[in-house]
Amino acid sequence: MIVMKFGGSSLANGERIRHVAELVKLELPRKPVLVVSAMGDTTDHLLEAATRALETGTVSIEGITELHKNAIRELNIAMPKIMPLLAELQILLVGISLIKELTGRTKDYLVSFGERLAARIVAAYCQSMGMEAKAVDAWEGGFVSDSHFTAAELVPESWDSIPEKLMPLIDGGMLPVLTGFIAKDCKGAITTLGRGGSDLSATMIAAACQAEEAQIWKDVDGILTADPRIVPEARPVEAVTYEEAAELAYFGAQVLHPRAMQPCMRTKTPVWVKNSYNSRAPGTRIVAALEKTRPVLGITSRNQVTLVDIVSTRMLGQAGFLAELFADFAKYGISVDMVATSEVSVSVTMDATYDLEPLKKDLSRIADVEIKTGKAIVTIIGDVDRSSEILHQAFGVCVSLGIPVQMVSHGASKVNISFIVNDTQSTEVVQGLHKHFIGANFSEGSTSCI
Ligand code: ASP
Ligand code: MG
C-alpha cells in the first residue's frame, strides 16, 4: 500500500479535487490511503471566523459554506453529508460568541471541521469516479493523541491502532480518505497536531502500516534549495535525508511539518514530496541515507528571533551552572533554538514571541543578561564533513557583504550550520549564500540514493 497526502492548495476548488482524483486513480493498483487537509485556506478562515465571533459577536460561515458548496457543484456530485457538520460549526461559533472564550481545546474542535468537510467531498467525488472511497475521520482511523491542544503528539499506541483500523479497509479493496491534522485524546476531545499537521498524519500512517512509500502532494516542485520568495532562482532537489528534510522544515523552508519525518525515519519508509500542479515534475525523494557528494543542499532563514547573552564568571570551572540556567528556561516554557557557550558566557536564541522579562529577572541573580531583539537565524544545510570549507566560504560571503555574524552554531544534527545576523540583513545573506553555494552551476546529478 501507499499513502497519498494532499494539502489545502491541492484541494483549493472542485477542479483541483478532480485532478487529485485522477492522480489517485493512476495509483489504485498500489492500494492508496488518501490523507487530506482542509480545502484551500479553510483552516485560517475558520480561525478568523472564531476571532470575529469572539471579538464582535458576529457569527458567519458564509464564505466557508460557499467554498465547499461550490466545489460540490463543480464536481457535479450529490450533496455528501456535510450539512450536519456545517450546522454544528454554526452552533459552535454561536457558543464562542456567547461565552466569549476561545481556548486551545475549542480551537481544535473548530478547525477540525475543515478536514472533515474536505474528506467527505473528496470521498464522494472518488465514489462518483467509480472508486470504493470512504471518508474516515482520524479517530476512526486509530489516531489517538495526548491532550496538548493545538500541538498534540500522537500516543505510542497509535502505532498499533492505526493499522488495526485501516488495514481491514485497505485489504477489503476500499480507498480510505482520511482527515489529516486531527486526532482525539483518550477522553474523546478533538485535538490537532499543529499547523501543517496533515503531513505528520500521512507519514504516521505510512510508517505504522508499513507502506511502500508516503507521497506528500504540495504546490511546489518538491523541497527547494531556498524559500522561493527570498531566492527566486531556488530549485527543487532530487533527494534529501530525513535529517536534512527536518532541518529544512524547521528552519524556515515550511515545505513540511517539522515533526513529519519522525515516523518514517523510524521505519525508513521513503517519502516523496510532489507537486499536484505539476505532476510530471519528479519531486523530492526523502530517504535514510545518500551518497554525500554535495557540499550544500539548501539555505534557510528564520526571522523574529531574540538572542539572549548571559555572562557570568561564576561559570568558570563550575559544575551544574548550565543545568541551573536551562532550568530557568524550562520554568518559563521557553523553547530554545541555538546555543553557543564559552567558559564565561552562554548565548541562546528563541522565538521573539516570548515575554523574557521574568526570565531576565531570575537569571540576573546569577549572571549579567542582555536581550537583543530583531535577529534572524540563517542556516546552511549541507555535508558536515566539509564544514570547514563551508564555514570559510560562508564567512567570506558575509565579509564581502559587510554583514557581521553575531553567533555561530554547528548543529548537533550534523547537517546544519547556523548563525545569527540582524533580521534586516537576512534576505541579503541568504541570497548571497545561495548564489555562492548553489548558484547556476550546482550539479544535482551528483546526488544519488543508496
Ligand atoms: N489544514 C491544516 C493547516 O492549514 C493542516 C494542514 O494543512 O496540514 O494547518
Ligand atoms: Mg492547510
Side-chain angles (χ1 to χ4, degrees):
M1 56 147 317
I2 60 167
V3 179
M4 301 176 82
K5 179 248 144 164
F6 293 92
S9 62
S10 300
L11 303 166
N13 52 42
E15 187 219 319
R16 298 313 306 166
I17 293 177
R18 187 170 284 146
H19 184 62
V20 161
E22 275 157 20
L23 291 171
V24 172
K25 202 159 191 183
L26 290 174
E27 293 281 31
L28 272 189
R30 299 173 79 194
K31 299 193 182 173
V33 172
L34 246 59
V35 176
V36 294
S37 297
M39 285 180 65
D41 294 325
T42 300
T43 308
D44 291 326
H45 296 153
L46 284 163
L47 291 168
E48 283 156 21
T51 310
R52 255 197 321 274
L54 183 76
E55 287 171 1
T56 68
T58 330
V59 171
S60 160
I61 58 164
E62 255 168 53
I64 291 161
T65 306
E66 269 313 288
L67 176 84
H68 292 87
K69 284 196 174 162
N70 280 345
I72 292 166
R73 214 171 299 126
E74 278 163 41
L75 293 168
N76 206 7
I77 49 174
M79 181 64 84
K81 278 201 199 115
I82 64 161
M83 293 322 278
L85 286 179
L86 288 169
E88 191 181 332
L89 171 61
Q90 172 94 17
I91 295 171
L92 175 61
L93 285 168
V94 171
I96 293 168
S97 76
L98 292 175
I99 303 168
K100 303 225 180 300
E101 191 177 75
L102 183 57
T103 58
R105 183 190 176 106
T106 308
K107 267 189 195 161
D108 280 357
Y109 175 22
L110 175 94
V111 293
S112 75
F113 287 97
E115 271 67 13
R116 290 196 274 167
L117 291 164
R120 280 157 182 77
I121 295 174
V122 172
Y125 182 66
C126 289
Q127 281 164 12
S128 80
M129 297 256 298
M131 298 181 240
E132 263 197 75
K134 179 181 171 12
V136 180
D137 287 329
W139 41 89
E140 292 167 14
F143 278 76
V144 185
S145 77
D146 61 19
S147 307
H148 197 287
F149 295 105
T150 75
E153 298 259 9
L154 295 172
V155 298
E157 293 78 61
S158 294
W159 281 87
D160 297 322
S161 53
I162 291 171
E164 268 165 29
K165 299 279 189 193
L166 291 184
M167 288 319 287
L169 296 179
I170 300 162
D171 291 338
M174 201 80 97
L175 171 69
V177 182
L178 217 103
T179 57
F181 180 47
I182 60 178
K184 271 187 181 172
D185 70 6
C186 62
K187 295 197 196 100
I190 296 176
T191 59
T192 65
L193 308 176
R195 293 306 303 268
S198 53
D199 292 342
L200 178 59
S201 310
T203 52
M204 184 63 194
I205 296 175
C209 295
Q210 296 173 348
E212 210 178 302
E213 68 186 32
Q215 303 173 356
I216 312 270
W217 291 83
K218 305 250 163 191
D219 57 1
V220 284
D221 280 348
I223 294 185
L224 304 181
T225 50
D227 183 337
R229 288 163 301 186
I230 300 175
V231 183
E233 53 290 353
R235 56 166 157 277
V237 289
E238 182 197 310
V240 297
T241 64
Y242 299 118
E243 287 86 358
E244 289 169 339
E247 289 291 344
L248 277 165
Y250 188 63
F251 287 105
Q254 304 255 320
V255 186
L256 291 169
H257 183 274
R259 283 184 286 124
M261 286 305 116
Q262 285 171 5
C264 287
M265 206 187 266
R266 189 161 137 185
T267 53
K268 297 197 166 58
T269 310
V271 180
W272 282 92
V273 179
K274 289 181 142 285
N275 188 355
S276 74
Y277 286 76
N278 181 16
S279 53
R280 265 191 269 271
T284 299
R285 186 173 156 79
I286 310 172
V287 289
L290 295 167
E291 259 174 43
K292 286 196 168 169
T293 50
R294 162 194 67 189
V296 171
L297 162 70
I299 321 279
T300 67
S301 62
R302 207 139 67 87
N303 283 355
Q304 292 185 345
V305 168
T306 297
L307 173 71
V308 179
D309 234 346
I310 302 148
V311 182
S312 170
T313 44
R314 262 192 55 195
M315 274 179 81
L316 209 64
Q318 266 258 345
F321 184 85
L322 286 179
E324 213 178 307
L325 197 98
F326 285 113
D328 252 343
F329 281 90
K331 177 171 147 194
Y332 294 108
I334 297 166
S335 164
V336 161
D337 291 325
M338 272 171 69
V339 181
T341 61
S342 79
E343 262 307 324
V344 292
S345 73
V346 188
S347 303
V348 183
T349 73
M350 70 260 349
D351 272 350
T353 44
Y354 296 110
D355 171 17
L356 297 176
E357 279 314 312
L359 173 84
K360 184 174 178 179
K361 215 167 142 204
D362 272 16
L363 289 180
S364 296
R365 282 198 280 271
I366 52 170
D368 292 332
V369 182
E370 203 182 330
I371 295 175
K372 300 174 181 171
T373 55
K375 304 295 169 191
I377 302 180
V378 173
T379 300
I380 302 173
I381 292 128
D383 181 354
V384 77
D385 293 337
R386 292 165 77 169
S387 60
S388 313
E389 193 188 327
I390 297 170
L391 278 167
H392 172 76
Q393 294 182 24
F395 286 133
V397 170
C398 293
V399 169
S400 69
L401 293 170
I403 293 173
V405 169
Q406 297 165 39
M407 171 180 166
V408 184
S409 150
H410 198 155
S413 68
K414 301 192 182 65
V415 299
N416 92 48
I417 294 167
S418 294
F419 52 86
I420 297 286
V421 295
N422 284 340
D423 67 9
T424 49
Q425 296 170 321
S426 69
T427 300
E428 210 184 331
V429 174
V430 172
Q431 288 170 346
L433 291 171
H434 193 276
K435 192 163 166 215
H436 178 85
F437 284 112
I438 296 166
N441 304 320
F442 183 71
S443 161
E444 251 306 308
S446 57
T447 309
S448 60
C449 304
I450 289 175

